[in-house]
PDB file of all heavy atoms in Angstrom:
ATOM      1  N   ILE A 193      -8.404-206.424  31.759  1.00 82.00           N
ATOM      2  CA  ILE A 193      -8.668-207.846  31.562  1.00 82.00           C
ATOM      3  C   ILE A 193      -7.760-208.375  30.452  1.00 82.00           C
ATOM      4  O   ILE A 193      -7.808-207.910  29.317  1.00 82.00           O
ATOM      5  CB  ILE A 193     -10.151-208.095  31.213  1.00 82.00           C
ATOM      6  CG1 ILE A 193     -11.068-207.540  32.300  1.00 82.00           C
ATOM      7  CG2 ILE A 193     -10.409-209.574  30.979  1.00 82.00           C
ATOM      8  CD1 ILE A 193     -10.995-208.241  33.627  1.00 82.00           C
ATOM      9  N   ARG A 194      -6.927-209.336  30.806  1.00 76.00           N
ATOM     10  CA  ARG A 194      -6.012-209.942  29.833  1.00 76.00           C
ATOM     11  C   ARG A 194      -6.484-211.320  29.393  1.00 76.00           C
ATOM     12  O   ARG A 194      -6.011-211.860  28.415  1.00 76.00           O
ATOM     13  CB  ARG A 194      -4.626-210.052  30.451  1.00 76.00           C
ATOM     14  CG  ARG A 194      -3.982-208.701  30.663  1.00 76.00           C
ATOM     15  CD  ARG A 194      -2.611-208.857  31.322  1.00 76.00           C
ATOM     16  NE  ARG A 194      -1.908-207.606  31.394  1.00 76.00           N
ATOM     17  CZ  ARG A 194      -2.000-206.759  32.388  1.00 76.00           C
ATOM     18  NH1 ARG A 194      -2.795-207.001  33.394  1.00 76.00           N
ATOM     19  NH2 ARG A 194      -1.307-205.633  32.383  1.00 76.00           N
ATOM     20  N   ARG A 195      -7.405-211.920  30.157  1.00 66.00           N
ATOM     21  CA  ARG A 195      -7.958-213.239  29.846  1.00 66.00           C
ATOM     22  C   ARG A 195      -9.459-213.211  30.041  1.00 66.00           C
ATOM     23  O   ARG A 195      -9.938-212.822  31.084  1.00 66.00           O
ATOM     24  CB  ARG A 195      -7.408-214.298  30.800  1.00 66.00           C
ATOM     25  CG  ARG A 195      -6.129-214.855  30.409  1.00 66.00           C
ATOM     26  CD  ARG A 195      -5.719-215.906  31.440  1.00 66.00           C
ATOM     27  NE  ARG A 195      -4.385-216.270  31.121  1.00 66.00           N
ATOM     28  CZ  ARG A 195      -4.048-217.454  30.701  1.00 66.00           C
ATOM     29  NH1 ARG A 195      -4.932-218.407  30.638  1.00 66.00           N
ATOM     30  NH2 ARG A 195      -2.798-217.716  30.374  1.00 66.00           N
ATOM     31  N   TRP A 196     -10.160-213.661  29.033  1.00 65.00           N
ATOM     32  CA  TRP A 196     -11.602-213.787  29.139  1.00 65.00           C
ATOM     33  C   TRP A 196     -11.935-215.259  29.267  1.00 65.00           C
ATOM     34  O   TRP A 196     -11.235-216.111  28.703  1.00 65.00           O
ATOM     35  CB  TRP A 196     -12.281-213.202  27.907  1.00 65.00           C
ATOM     36  CG  TRP A 196     -12.221-211.702  27.906  1.00 65.00           C
ATOM     37  CD1 TRP A 196     -11.291-210.932  27.292  1.00 65.00           C
ATOM     38  CD2 TRP A 196     -13.096-210.814  28.582  1.00 65.00           C
ATOM     39  NE1 TRP A 196     -11.530-209.604  27.550  1.00 65.00           N
ATOM     40  CE2 TRP A 196     -12.644-209.512  28.328  1.00 65.00           C
ATOM     41  CE3 TRP A 196     -14.216-210.997  29.381  1.00 65.00           C
ATOM     42  CZ2 TRP A 196     -13.284-208.385  28.839  1.00 65.00           C
ATOM     43  CZ3 TRP A 196     -14.856-209.862  29.884  1.00 65.00           C
ATOM     44  CH2 TRP A 196     -14.378-208.593  29.618  1.00 65.00           C
ATOM     45  N   PRO A 197     -13.014-215.574  29.979  1.00 60.00           N
ATOM     46  CA  PRO A 197     -13.400-216.990  30.085  1.00 60.00           C
ATOM     47  C   PRO A 197     -13.839-217.507  28.720  1.00 60.00           C
ATOM     48  O   PRO A 197     -14.247-216.742  27.850  1.00 60.00           O
ATOM     49  CB  PRO A 197     -14.592-216.962  31.060  1.00 60.00           C
ATOM     50  CG  PRO A 197     -15.021-215.548  31.151  1.00 60.00           C
ATOM     51  CD  PRO A 197     -13.892-214.683  30.688  1.00 60.00           C
ATOM     52  N   VAL A 198     -13.714-218.801  28.535  1.00 57.00           N
ATOM     53  CA  VAL A 198     -14.118-219.425  27.278  1.00 57.00           C
ATOM     54  C   VAL A 198     -15.367-220.214  27.540  1.00 57.00           C
ATOM     55  O   VAL A 198     -15.389-221.033  28.458  1.00 57.00           O
ATOM     56  CB  VAL A 198     -12.989-220.340  26.741  1.00 57.00           C
ATOM     57  CG1 VAL A 198     -13.425-221.049  25.489  1.00 57.00           C
ATOM     58  CG2 VAL A 198     -11.733-219.521  26.505  1.00 57.00           C
ATOM     59  N   PRO A 199     -16.442-220.062  26.803  1.00 55.00           N
ATOM     60  CA  PRO A 199     -16.580-219.036  25.780  1.00 55.00           C
ATOM     61  C   PRO A 199     -16.911-217.706  26.422  1.00 55.00           C
ATOM     62  O   PRO A 199     -17.685-217.634  27.366  1.00 55.00           O
ATOM     63  CB  PRO A 199     -17.735-219.533  24.927  1.00 55.00           C
ATOM     64  CG  PRO A 199     -18.584-220.321  25.871  1.00 55.00           C
ATOM     65  CD  PRO A 199     -17.633-220.933  26.871  1.00 55.00           C
ATOM     66  N   CYS A 200     -16.343-216.629  25.893  1.00 53.00           N
ATOM     67  CA  CYS A 200     -16.547-215.317  26.502  1.00 53.00           C
ATOM     68  C   CYS A 200     -17.970-214.823  26.281  1.00 53.00           C
ATOM     69  O   CYS A 200     -18.439-213.927  26.959  1.00 53.00           O
ATOM     70  CB  CYS A 200     -15.538-214.297  25.976  1.00 53.00           C
ATOM     71  SG  CYS A 200     -15.654-213.972  24.227  1.00 53.00           S
ATOM     72  N   THR A 201     -18.704-215.414  25.341  1.00 53.00           N
ATOM     73  CA  THR A 201     -20.091-215.006  25.123  1.00 53.00           C
ATOM     74  C   THR A 201     -21.019-215.541  26.189  1.00 53.00           C
ATOM     75  O   THR A 201     -22.184-215.181  26.245  1.00 53.00           O
ATOM     76  CB  THR A 201     -20.578-215.465  23.744  1.00 53.00           C
ATOM     77  OG1 THR A 201     -20.425-216.890  23.676  1.00 53.00           O
ATOM     78  CG2 THR A 201     -19.813-214.807  22.625  1.00 53.00           C
TER      79      THR A 201
END
Side-chain angles (χ1 to χ4, degrees):
I193 303 293
R194 292 178 173 89
R195 275 181 188 246
W196 287 95
V198 177
C200 63
T201 58

